[in-house]
Amino acid sequence: MNLQQLEYIVTVDKLKSFSKAAAACHVTQATLSTMVKKLESELELVLFDRKTNPILTTECGRDIIDEAHKVLRHSSRLKELASEARGVIEGELNIGIIPTIASNLLHRILPQFLSAYPKLKLNVREITTQHIIDQLRNGELDAGIASTPLREDQLEEDILYYEKLMVYGNTTSSETRFLTPKDIADEQVWLLEEGNCLTDQVINICALNSRQMDSNLSFSPNSFDSLLNIVDNLNGLTLIPELYCKDLPAERQVKVRDFNPPYPVREVSLVYFRPYAKLRLISALSNEIRQLIKPTLQTSHLKNSEMQIAKL
């Protein structure tokens, strides 16, 4: 039995296919199948039902693969400890990030981070909050970047920054300023698709009774670009995060309005599942994000009493 065989059975279990698992492990299907059969022979167990399509993991195979996951994680940890002893940041870090953060954060941090840690391989997936939670728990991800608090048992939340939520839309006066988020509750408010964490936060913080009001159009965009195009052409308002606002062209930035304090903000954190955490690598990433992003945000100059955290 060796680590390579354990990696093979974990991959077959994940992909439910010997051919796909072989491609993912960069070996021939014959090589992978032979190694899996040798392991089954050594264990005197059948791990996979090969007669089904997709392949099914047997009941006893399920227990073996659960333990294989643990062995592979511990093996990875041994390599990390060796790197720490040498004072080197290296290895591989799998990160999940929600789309409403990814679009305006990644291009600000990745060039500097990758340059600072050339021996670290960073794998980034743009996925939903729930997928981040699920993949953290099963070990597919090492950490996630999401809007918090998530209130998930066993998940650690390392706050990176607070980001203002600002009003975007067409107003009759360039001097218009909304006193509180609830002041827009009677306006036509356009939001991202249902289930998006930012949509839930806006509904809660603005005390909206419905996602859209006084409109014969039901539209659920999944990107800020589509959302703002609707606002520009059909009027109404929406809320956008500060980093997204910074990336807007000048002709759109004039349509952004602020609230009076306490300002609505969203909390952005690095989340991870402590038993599987690559703490040294995660700390390097979180420190880099704070140093690059916090000074650029208006919230860096605000007191806690001047901010109201949007809840999920």
Side-chain angles (χ1 to χ4, degrees):
M1 185 188 305
N2 57 51
L3 293 175
Q4 191 174 54
Q5 288 173 306
L6 299 184
E7 180 184 352
Y8 289 166
I9 65 171
V10 165
T11 307
V12 172
D13 174 67
K14 177 182 177 181
L15 299 179
K16 309 302 181 186
S17 164
F18 276 85
S19 60
K20 291 179 181 178
C25 294
H26 308 291
V27 296
T28 66
Q29 183 174 343
T31 297
L32 184 139
S33 296
T34 299
M35 294 292 281
V36 171
K37 286 181 179 179
K38 285 184 177 180
L39 180 60
E40 288 179 318
S41 177
E42 179 179 349
L43 297 174
E44 297 182 356
L45 291 172
V46 175
L47 303 179
F48 302 105
D49 183 351
R50 295 164 172 79
K51 296 179 181 180
T52 61
N53 187 15
I55 288 172
L56 294 177
T57 303
T58 63
E59 185 176 351
C60 57
R62 179 75 270 154
D63 294 334
I64 297 296
I65 287 168
D66 286 344
E67 291 302 314
H69 274 289
K70 296 176 184 178
V71 172
L72 292 173
R73 283 193 290 266
H74 284 299
S75 171
S76 177
R77 181 57 182 152
L78 288 175
K79 295 177 183 178
E80 291 170 28
L81 288 172
S83 296
E84 291 176 15
R86 299 194 307 272
V88 177
I89 297 292
E90 63 181 9
E92 189 169 349
L93 194 62
N94 298 305
I95 300 289
I97 182 170
I98 63 173
T100 59
I101 293 176
S103 59
N104 305 101
L105 176 65
L106 292 180
H107 70 86
R108 287 180 162 88
I109 64 168
L110 289 182
Q112 294 90 326
F113 186 78
L114 295 175
S115 176
Y117 304 106
K119 294 186 177 181
L120 177 63
K121 182 181 180 182
L122 195 63
N123 302 315
V124 182
R125 307 174 192 174
E126 191 173 313
I127 53 179
T128 66
T129 300
Q130 188 56 54
H131 282 139
I132 287 176
I133 293 171
D134 293 342
Q135 291 182 28
L136 284 173
R137 283 183 168 160
N138 66 26
E140 291 183 60
L141 289 179
D142 300 309
I145 300 176
S147 186
T148 54
L150 297 177
R151 299 183 182 84
E152 289 286 333
D153 292 343
Q154 298 181 309
L155 280 185
E156 301 289 334
E157 298 179 1
D158 185 6
I159 299 172
L160 299 172
Y161 57 85
Y162 294 101
E163 182 179 22
K164 268 188 176 184
L165 297 178
M166 311 177 84
V167 181
Y168 177 90
N170 298 305
T171 59
T172 57
S173 169
S174 61
E175 300 301 321
T176 299
R177 185 182 182 91
F178 296 97
L179 298 179
T180 71
K182 293 182 180 180
D183 289 339
I184 71 172
D186 294 329
E187 302 281 344
Q188 171 65 58
V189 181
W190 299 94
L191 301 172
L192 294 170
E193 61 187 342
E194 189 172 357
N196 186 290
C197 63
L198 186 60
T199 292
D200 294 338
Q201 289 171 322
V202 172
I203 289 174
N204 289 334
I205 205 165
C206 296
L208 301 181
N209 294 321
S210 61
R211 299 185 66 254
Q212 295 170 325
M213 302 173 61
D214 302 325
S215 175
N216 59 348
L217 171 66
S218 176
F219 180 60
S220 300
N222 59 15
S223 73
F224 284 128
D225 288 344
S226 296
L227 180 63
L228 265 60
N229 285 336
I230 286 294
V231 174
D232 287 343
N233 290 280
L234 294 180
N235 295 320
L237 304 170
T238 191
L239 265 66
I240 57 175
E242 186 180 346
L243 283 181
Y244 181 77
C245 176
K246 289 179 178 294
D247 289 338
L248 291 176
E251 62 270 21
R252 276 185 159 172
Q253 289 197 10
V254 298
K255 297 182 180 182
V256 178
R257 299 292 179 270
D258 208 347
F259 294 103
N260 282 343
Y263 302 100
V265 302
R266 69 169 175 177
E267 180 181 277
V268 176
S269 300
L270 199 67
V271 298
Y272 52 93
F273 189 40
R274 181 171 290 279
Y276 308 147
K278 299 180 179 179
L279 295 179
R280 183 177 173 84
L281 306 186
I282 289 172
S283 294
L285 178 61
S286 61
N287 291 336
E288 196 77 17
I289 293 174
R290 288 193 192 92
Q291 292 175 15
L292 292 171
I293 301 301
K294 287 183 70 174
T296 71
L297 297 172
Q298 296 179 33
T299 52
S300 63
H301 307 293
L302 298 178
K303 301 176 182 177
N304 288 341
S305 60
E306 295 177 305
M307 297 186 291
Q308 178 186 356
I309 299 175
K311 304 297 184 182
L312 293 172

